[in-house]
Amino acid sequence: MTKRVQYDNHGTTDELEVVDVESPTVGPGQVSVQVRFAGLNPVDLAILSGSFGSGSGTRGLGMDFSGVVAEVGDGVEDFSPGDLVFGGVPNQSEADYVLVKDPAKHLNKIPKGLGTDVAGGLNVAGSTAVAGIRAIAPQAGETIFVSGASGGVGIIAAQLALGLGARVIGTTSPGNVQLLDGLGIDAVEYGPELEERLREAAPDGIQAAYSTRGEDEIEMLLGLGVPAARINSIAAGPQVADKYGVHTDGQAKARRDDLPWLAMAIAYGHVVVPIGGVFDLDDVRAAYGFLTGGHPVGKVLLRMEPKPFTAEQTDYLTQ
Protein backbone atom coordinates (compact mmCIF):
# COMPACT_ATOMS: atom_id res chain seq x y z
CA MET A 1 0.00 0.00 0.00
CA THR A 2 1.03 3.59 -0.56
CA LYS A 3 -0.27 7.03 0.42
CA ARG A 4 -1.57 9.63 -2.00
CA VAL A 5 -3.55 12.87 -2.08
CA GLN A 6 -6.90 12.54 -3.83
CA TYR A 7 -10.37 14.08 -4.11
CA ASP A 8 -13.81 12.99 -5.28
CA ASN A 9 -15.47 16.34 -6.00
CA HIS A 10 -14.26 19.64 -7.43
CA GLY A 11 -13.96 22.48 -4.95
CA THR A 12 -11.47 23.85 -2.46
CA THR A 13 -8.64 22.12 -0.61
CA ASP A 14 -11.26 20.95 1.90
CA GLU A 15 -11.95 18.21 -0.67
CA LEU A 16 -8.41 16.82 -0.40
CA GLU A 17 -7.74 13.64 1.53
CA VAL A 18 -4.61 11.57 2.12
CA VAL A 19 -5.51 7.91 1.74
CA ASP A 20 -3.89 4.50 1.43
CA VAL A 21 -4.09 3.00 -2.06
CA GLU A 22 -2.57 0.07 -3.88
CA SER A 23 1.00 0.61 -5.04
CA PRO A 24 1.26 1.15 -8.81
CA THR A 25 1.95 -1.85 -11.01
CA VAL A 26 4.70 -1.30 -13.55
CA GLY A 27 4.00 -2.38 -17.11
CA PRO A 28 6.21 -2.57 -20.20
CA GLY A 29 7.92 0.73 -20.96
CA GLN A 30 6.91 2.23 -17.61
CA VAL A 31 8.83 3.42 -14.54
CA SER A 32 7.77 3.55 -10.90
CA VAL A 33 9.33 6.36 -8.83
CA GLN A 34 9.46 6.54 -5.05
CA VAL A 35 8.72 10.23 -4.54
CA ARG A 36 10.86 12.36 -2.24
CA PHE A 37 9.38 15.81 -2.99
CA ALA A 38 6.31 17.01 -4.88
CA GLY A 39 6.08 20.62 -6.00
CA LEU A 40 2.87 22.61 -5.57
CA ASN A 41 1.60 24.96 -8.28
CA PRO A 42 -1.36 27.36 -8.58
CA VAL A 43 -2.58 25.35 -11.56
CA ASP A 44 -3.21 22.42 -9.18
CA LEU A 45 -5.84 24.52 -7.41
CA ALA A 46 -7.41 25.50 -10.73
CA ILE A 47 -7.69 21.83 -11.65
CA LEU A 48 -9.13 21.04 -8.22
CA SER A 49 -11.73 23.80 -8.59
CA GLY A 50 -12.92 22.49 -11.96
CA SER A 51 -11.63 25.45 -13.97
CA PHE A 52 -10.12 23.09 -16.53
CA GLY A 53 -13.31 21.06 -16.85
CA SER A 54 -15.35 18.89 -14.55
CA GLY A 55 -14.87 15.21 -14.07
CA SER A 56 -16.24 12.36 -12.05
CA GLY A 57 -14.66 9.76 -9.84
CA THR A 58 -11.62 9.83 -7.61
CA ARG A 59 -8.61 11.76 -8.87
CA GLY A 60 -5.10 12.51 -7.70
CA LEU A 61 -3.41 15.91 -7.68
CA GLY A 62 -0.05 17.45 -8.48
CA MET A 63 2.36 17.39 -11.43
CA ASP A 64 5.91 17.99 -10.16
CA PHE A 65 8.06 15.43 -8.36
CA SER A 66 11.53 14.16 -7.63
CA GLY A 67 12.58 10.82 -6.24
CA VAL A 68 14.25 7.47 -6.75
CA VAL A 69 13.46 4.97 -9.48
CA ALA A 70 11.90 1.99 -7.71
CA GLU A 71 11.14 -0.31 -10.63
CA VAL A 72 11.37 -0.30 -14.41
CA GLY A 73 9.25 -2.24 -16.87
CA ASP A 74 10.38 -4.35 -19.80
CA GLY A 75 11.92 -2.29 -22.56
CA VAL A 76 13.10 0.61 -20.40
CA GLU A 77 16.78 1.26 -21.09
CA ASP A 78 17.42 4.87 -20.02
CA PHE A 79 16.53 4.45 -16.35
CA SER A 80 17.46 1.90 -13.68
CA PRO A 81 16.35 1.25 -10.09
CA GLY A 82 18.19 3.63 -7.79
CA ASP A 83 18.46 6.53 -10.26
CA LEU A 84 17.64 9.94 -8.82
CA VAL A 85 15.07 11.51 -11.14
CA PHE A 86 12.65 14.41 -11.51
CA GLY A 87 9.84 15.30 -13.84
CA GLY A 88 6.10 15.64 -14.09
CA VAL A 89 3.02 13.52 -14.55
CA PRO A 90 -0.55 14.84 -14.70
CA ASN A 91 -2.45 14.80 -11.43
CA GLN A 92 -0.61 12.13 -9.47
CA SER A 93 2.68 13.46 -8.07
CA GLU A 94 1.41 14.03 -4.51
CA ALA A 95 1.93 10.44 -3.47
CA ASP A 96 4.56 8.07 -2.13
CA TYR A 97 4.92 6.52 -5.58
CA VAL A 98 4.12 7.71 -9.10
CA LEU A 99 3.84 5.63 -12.24
CA VAL A 100 5.49 7.26 -15.25
CA LYS A 101 3.96 5.71 -18.35
CA ASP A 102 6.13 7.61 -20.84
CA PRO A 103 9.53 8.12 -19.15
CA ALA A 104 11.20 9.30 -22.35
CA LYS A 105 8.84 12.29 -22.30
CA HIS A 106 8.24 12.95 -18.61
CA LEU A 107 11.32 11.82 -16.65
CA ASN A 108 14.83 13.26 -16.26
CA LYS A 109 17.88 12.24 -14.28
CA ILE A 110 18.98 14.66 -11.56
CA PRO A 111 22.45 16.01 -12.34
CA LYS A 112 25.16 16.21 -9.69
CA GLY A 113 24.86 19.45 -7.79
CA LEU A 114 21.05 19.63 -7.91
CA GLY A 115 19.18 18.62 -4.76
CA THR A 116 16.09 16.46 -4.81
CA ASP A 117 14.19 19.26 -3.05
CA VAL A 118 14.74 21.88 -5.77
CA ALA A 119 14.31 19.26 -8.50
CA GLY A 120 10.94 18.33 -7.03
CA GLY A 121 9.45 21.70 -7.95
CA LEU A 122 11.01 22.31 -11.36
CA ASN A 123 8.63 20.70 -13.84
CA VAL A 124 5.90 23.34 -14.23
CA ALA A 125 7.68 26.49 -13.06
CA GLY A 126 10.95 25.72 -14.83
CA SER A 127 9.51 24.85 -18.22
CA THR A 128 7.10 27.80 -18.03
CA ALA A 129 9.92 30.21 -17.23
CA VAL A 130 12.20 28.99 -20.02
CA ALA A 131 9.45 29.05 -22.67
CA GLY A 132 8.35 32.56 -21.72
CA ILE A 133 11.87 33.98 -21.72
CA ARG A 134 12.48 32.44 -25.12
CA ALA A 135 9.30 34.16 -26.37
CA ILE A 136 10.41 37.68 -25.34
CA ALA A 137 14.09 37.11 -26.24
CA PRO A 138 15.91 39.43 -23.79
CA GLN A 139 19.04 41.02 -25.23
CA ALA A 140 22.21 42.19 -23.49
CA GLY A 141 21.82 45.76 -22.28
CA GLU A 142 18.01 45.79 -22.39
CA THR A 143 15.77 46.43 -19.40
CA ILE A 144 13.35 43.59 -18.75
CA PHE A 145 10.39 43.60 -16.36
CA VAL A 146 9.31 40.45 -14.48
CA SER A 147 6.27 40.56 -12.22
CA GLY A 148 6.09 38.21 -9.28
CA ALA A 149 9.86 37.98 -9.44
CA SER A 150 10.14 36.16 -6.11
CA GLY A 151 7.56 33.52 -7.04
CA GLY A 152 8.14 30.05 -8.43
CA VAL A 153 8.11 31.05 -12.11
CA GLY A 154 9.23 34.66 -11.79
CA ILE A 155 12.41 34.02 -9.85
CA ILE A 156 13.62 31.61 -12.54
CA ALA A 157 12.54 33.82 -15.45
CA ALA A 158 14.25 36.86 -13.94
CA GLN A 159 17.56 35.03 -13.52
CA LEU A 160 17.40 33.66 -17.06
CA ALA A 161 17.04 37.20 -18.37
CA LEU A 162 19.98 38.26 -16.20
CA GLY A 163 22.02 35.42 -17.66
CA LEU A 164 21.37 36.80 -21.14
CA GLY A 165 22.88 40.13 -20.10
CA ALA A 166 19.71 42.12 -19.48
CA ARG A 167 18.96 44.39 -16.57
CA VAL A 168 15.92 43.00 -14.73
CA ILE A 169 13.34 44.92 -12.72
CA GLY A 170 11.10 42.63 -10.68
CA THR A 171 8.07 43.26 -8.50
CA THR A 172 7.79 41.61 -5.11
CA SER A 173 6.45 42.06 -1.59
CA PRO A 174 8.46 44.17 0.88
CA GLY A 175 9.83 41.13 2.70
CA ASN A 176 11.50 39.76 -0.45
CA VAL A 177 13.22 42.90 -1.70
CA GLN A 178 16.56 41.98 -0.13
CA LEU A 179 16.51 38.52 -1.67
CA LEU A 180 15.96 39.84 -5.19
CA ASP A 181 18.57 42.55 -4.78
CA GLY A 182 21.03 39.86 -3.70
CA LEU A 183 20.39 37.97 -6.93
CA GLY A 184 21.03 41.07 -9.02
CA ILE A 185 17.34 41.81 -9.68
CA ASP A 186 16.26 45.42 -9.13
CA ALA A 187 13.30 44.93 -6.79
CA VAL A 188 10.23 47.16 -6.91
CA GLU A 189 7.41 46.69 -4.42
CA TYR A 190 3.85 45.90 -5.48
CA GLY A 191 1.05 48.27 -4.69
CA PRO A 192 -0.50 51.58 -5.68
CA GLU A 193 1.45 53.83 -8.06
CA LEU A 194 3.49 50.91 -9.39
CA GLU A 195 3.50 52.44 -12.86
CA GLU A 196 5.13 55.60 -11.52
CA ARG A 197 7.78 53.60 -9.67
CA LEU A 198 8.58 51.67 -12.84
CA ARG A 199 8.94 54.87 -14.84
CA GLU A 200 11.37 56.09 -12.20
CA ALA A 201 13.28 52.80 -12.13
CA ALA A 202 13.54 52.65 -15.94
CA PRO A 203 13.77 56.21 -17.26
CA ASP A 204 14.93 54.92 -20.65
CA GLY A 205 12.02 52.52 -20.92
CA ILE A 206 11.36 48.80 -20.61
CA GLN A 207 12.03 46.73 -23.70
CA ALA A 208 10.34 43.43 -22.77
CA ALA A 209 8.26 41.97 -19.97
CA TYR A 210 7.31 38.66 -18.40
CA SER A 211 3.88 39.15 -16.82
CA THR A 212 2.53 36.83 -14.14
CA ARG A 213 -0.55 38.95 -13.35
CA GLY A 214 -3.85 39.82 -15.05
CA GLU A 215 -4.95 42.04 -17.92
CA ASP A 216 -4.49 45.22 -15.90
CA GLU A 217 -0.76 44.55 -15.82
CA ILE A 218 -0.64 44.03 -19.59
CA GLU A 219 -2.40 47.35 -20.10
CA MET A 220 0.03 49.04 -17.73
CA LEU A 221 3.01 47.61 -19.62
CA LEU A 222 1.61 48.75 -22.96
CA GLY A 223 1.11 52.20 -21.43
CA LEU A 224 4.78 52.18 -20.46
CA GLY A 225 5.68 51.61 -24.09
CA VAL A 226 6.58 47.93 -23.92
CA PRO A 227 5.88 46.42 -27.40
CA ALA A 228 3.05 43.87 -27.29
CA ALA A 229 5.18 41.41 -29.24
CA ARG A 230 7.71 41.44 -26.40
CA ILE A 231 5.29 40.79 -23.54
CA ASN A 232 4.67 37.24 -22.34
CA SER A 233 1.66 36.66 -20.10
CA ILE A 234 1.07 33.43 -18.18
CA ALA A 235 -1.80 34.39 -15.87
CA ALA A 236 -4.25 36.62 -17.74
CA GLY A 237 -5.75 33.86 -19.88
CA PRO A 238 -5.32 32.76 -23.49
CA GLN A 239 -7.63 35.50 -24.80
CA VAL A 240 -5.00 38.19 -24.27
CA ALA A 241 -2.98 36.87 -27.22
CA ASP A 242 -5.64 38.04 -29.68
CA LYS A 243 -6.84 40.98 -27.61
CA TYR A 244 -3.45 42.62 -27.11
CA GLY A 245 -1.08 40.78 -29.42
CA VAL A 246 1.09 39.47 -26.57
CA HIS A 247 2.63 36.03 -26.15
CA THR A 248 1.08 33.48 -23.79
CA ASP A 249 3.90 30.94 -23.92
CA GLY A 250 4.06 28.57 -20.97
CA GLN A 251 4.75 24.93 -20.27
CA ALA A 252 2.98 23.79 -23.44
CA LYS A 253 5.55 25.67 -25.54
CA ALA A 254 8.57 24.25 -23.71
CA ARG A 255 11.02 21.97 -25.49
CA ARG A 256 11.79 18.47 -24.28
CA ASP A 257 15.35 19.41 -23.33
CA ASP A 258 14.43 22.64 -21.48
CA LEU A 259 14.19 20.99 -18.06
CA PRO A 260 17.50 19.08 -18.31
CA TRP A 261 19.15 22.29 -19.48
CA LEU A 262 17.70 24.28 -16.58
CA ALA A 263 18.66 21.56 -14.10
CA MET A 264 22.29 21.89 -15.18
CA ALA A 265 22.11 25.70 -14.98
CA ILE A 266 20.96 25.38 -11.37
CA ALA A 267 23.60 22.76 -10.60
CA TYR A 268 26.27 25.10 -12.01
CA GLY A 269 25.01 27.95 -9.83
CA HIS A 270 23.74 30.19 -12.64
CA VAL A 271 20.16 30.02 -11.31
CA VAL A 272 19.04 29.88 -7.68
CA VAL A 273 15.64 28.43 -6.79
CA PRO A 274 14.76 29.07 -3.14
CA ILE A 275 12.43 26.78 -1.22
CA GLY A 276 9.70 28.84 0.43
CA GLY A 277 8.19 26.04 2.50
CA VAL A 278 8.23 22.27 2.98
CA PHE A 279 5.23 20.35 4.35
CA ASP A 280 4.56 16.71 5.11
CA LEU A 281 2.14 14.93 2.80
CA ASP A 282 -0.50 14.78 5.54
CA ASP A 283 -0.39 18.59 5.74
CA VAL A 284 -1.31 19.12 2.08
CA ARG A 285 -4.19 21.49 2.88
CA ALA A 286 -1.91 23.72 4.95
CA ALA A 287 0.70 23.62 2.19
CA TYR A 288 -1.74 24.97 -0.38
CA GLY A 289 -2.92 27.58 2.09
CA PHE A 290 0.66 28.74 2.47
CA LEU A 291 1.14 28.75 -1.31
CA THR A 292 -1.82 31.08 -1.86
CA GLY A 293 -1.65 33.24 1.24
CA GLY A 294 1.90 33.22 2.53
CA HIS A 295 3.70 35.02 -0.33
CA PRO A 296 6.38 32.31 -0.35
CA VAL A 297 9.70 32.79 -2.10
CA GLY A 298 10.36 30.25 -4.84
CA LYS A 299 8.73 26.85 -4.47
CA VAL A 300 6.47 25.16 -1.92
CA LEU A 301 6.97 21.40 -1.58
CA LEU A 302 5.41 18.32 -0.07
CA ARG A 303 7.94 15.95 1.48
CA MET A 304 7.33 12.21 1.52
CA GLU A 305 8.46 10.17 4.50
CA PRO A 306 11.66 8.28 3.59
CA LYS A 307 11.42 4.53 3.44
CA PRO A 308 13.53 2.24 5.71
CA PHE A 309 17.01 1.23 4.62
CA THR A 310 17.17 -1.31 1.84
CA ALA A 311 18.84 -4.64 2.45
CA GLU A 312 21.91 -3.37 0.60
CA GLN A 313 22.16 -0.29 2.80
CA THR A 314 21.80 -2.36 5.93
CA ASP A 315 24.46 -4.79 4.75
CA TYR A 316 26.87 -1.93 4.08
CA LEU A 317 26.61 -0.66 7.67
CA THR A 318 26.77 -4.04 9.32
CA GLN A 319 29.58 -5.75 7.46
Side-chain angles (χ1 to χ4, degrees), residues 197-215:
R197 290 196 295 279
L198 291 177
R199 290 185 187 277
E200 182 179 352
D204 296 326
I206 296 171
Q207 285 71 58
Y210 196 121
S211 174
T212 64
R213 297 294 184 265
E215 286 193 33

Side-chain angles (χ1 to χ4, degrees), residues 176-319:
N176 296 329
V177 168
Q178 186 175 1
L179 169 71
L180 294 191
D181 286 343
L183 293 173
I185 302 163
D186 293 340
V188 175
E189 294 182 18
Y190 294 121
E193 301 181 350
L194 173 60
E195 184 173 345
E196 288 72 17
R197 290 196 295 279
L198 291 177
R199 290 185 187 277
E200 182 179 352
D204 296 326
I206 296 171
Q207 285 71 58
Y210 196 121
S211 174
T212 64
R213 297 294 184 265
E215 286 193 33
D216 288 350
E217 183 167 270
I218 296 174
E219 293 176 353
M220 178 194 72
L221 292 167
L222 293 171
L224 288 169
V226 183
R230 298 203 65 197
I231 297 174
N232 191 68
S233 170
I234 62 167
Q239 76 283 351
V240 299
D242 290 334
K243 184 174 181 178
Y244 299 103
V246 302
H247 297 279
T248 56
D249 290 14
Q251 185 182 25
K253 290 292 185 72
R255 301 173 186 169
R256 175 62 185 93
D257 56 348
D258 282 349
L259 282 175
W261 178 89
L262 179 61
M264 290 302 300
I266 297 170
Y268 290 155
H270 297 303
V271 176
V272 175
V273 182
I275 302 301
V278 180
F279 293 77
D280 291 335
L281 184 66
D282 289 335
D283 296 325
V284 60
R285 294 181 184 179
Y288 275 112
F290 180 68
L291 176 70
T292 57
H295 299 289
V297 176
K299 294 298 300 181
V300 177
L301 306 174
L302 293 178
R303 174 179 50 208
M304 312 307 154
E305 184 177 349
K307 300 297 182 288
F309 278 168
T310 64
E312 291 79 3
Q313 288 173 311
T314 301
D315 288 344
Y316 179 84
L317 287 176
T318 57
Q319 293 180 358

Side-chain angles (χ1 to χ4, degrees), residues 5-314:
V5 174
Q6 64 182 38
Y7 63 100
D8 295 320
N9 302 298
H10 290 294
T12 68
T13 55
D14 289 341
E15 301 293 333
L16 298 178
E17 295 183 327
V18 180
V19 300
D20 291 324
V21 297
E22 293 293 333
S23 300
T25 300
V26 178
Q30 300 177 353
V31 173
S32 172
V33 177
Q34 178 186 322
V35 177
R36 285 295 298 120
F37 293 94
L40 274 57
N41 295 286
V43 69
D44 302 332
L45 295 174
I47 293 170
L48 173 63
S49 72
S51 297
F52 285 86
S54 60
S56 59
T58 301
R59 286 142 289 178
L61 193 64
M63 300 185 185
D64 297 2
F65 68 88
S66 66
V68 183
V69 171
E71 186 179 356
V72 300
D74 292 341
V76 174
E77 298 180 353
D78 294 334
F79 299 96
S80 302
D83 287 345
L84 292 174
V85 292
F86 75 103
V89 288
N91 306 321
Q92 61 166 308
S93 70
E94 296 172 11
D96 284 336
Y97 288 88
V98 297
L99 182 65
V100 184
K101 296 182 179 180
D102 189 355
K105 182 178 180 181
H106 298 294
L107 202 60
N108 311 281
K109 292 183 180 179
I110 298 178
K112 292 180 179 179
L114 177 62
T116 53
D117 51 354
V118 173
L122 274 189
N123 176 59
V124 171
S127 56
T128 299
V130 174
I133 286 296
R134 186 179 288 121
I136 63 174
Q139 304 295 310
E142 290 186 326
T143 296
I144 310 299
F145 170 78
V146 177
S147 62
S150 59
V153 174
I155 201 163
I156 298 174
Q159 292 176 83
L160 295 178
L162 283 175
L164 293 173
R167 176 203 175 199
V168 178
I169 299 174
T171 52
T172 189
S173 60
N176 296 329
V177 168
Q178 186 175 1
L179 169 71
L180 294 191
D181 286 343
L183 293 173
I185 302 163
D186 293 340
V188 175
E189 294 182 18
Y190 294 121
E193 301 181 350
L194 173 60
E195 184 173 345
E196 288 72 17
R197 290 196 295 279
L198 291 177
R199 290 185 187 277
E200 182 179 352
D204 296 326
I206 296 171
Q207 285 71 58
Y210 196 121
S211 174
T212 64
R213 297 294 184 265
E215 286 193 33
D216 288 350
E217 183 167 270
I218 296 174
E219 293 176 353
M220 178 194 72
L221 292 167
L222 293 171
L224 288 169
V226 183
R230 298 203 65 197
I231 297 174
N232 191 68
S233 170
I234 62 167
Q239 76 283 351
V240 299
D242 290 334
K243 184 174 181 178
Y244 299 103
V246 302
H247 297 279
T248 56
D249 290 14
Q251 185 182 25
K253 290 292 185 72
R255 301 173 186 169
R256 175 62 185 93
D257 56 348
D258 282 349
L259 282 175
W261 178 89
L262 179 61
M264 290 302 300
I266 297 170
Y268 290 155
H270 297 303
V271 176
V272 175
V273 182
I275 302 301
V278 180
F279 293 77
D280 291 335
L281 184 66
D282 289 335
D283 296 325
V284 60
R285 294 181 184 179
Y288 275 112
F290 180 68
L291 176 70
T292 57
H295 299 289
V297 176
K299 294 298 300 181
V300 177
L301 306 174
L302 293 178
R303 174 179 50 208
M304 312 307 154
E305 184 177 349
K307 300 297 182 288
F309 278 168
T310 64
E312 291 79 3
Q313 288 173 311
T314 301

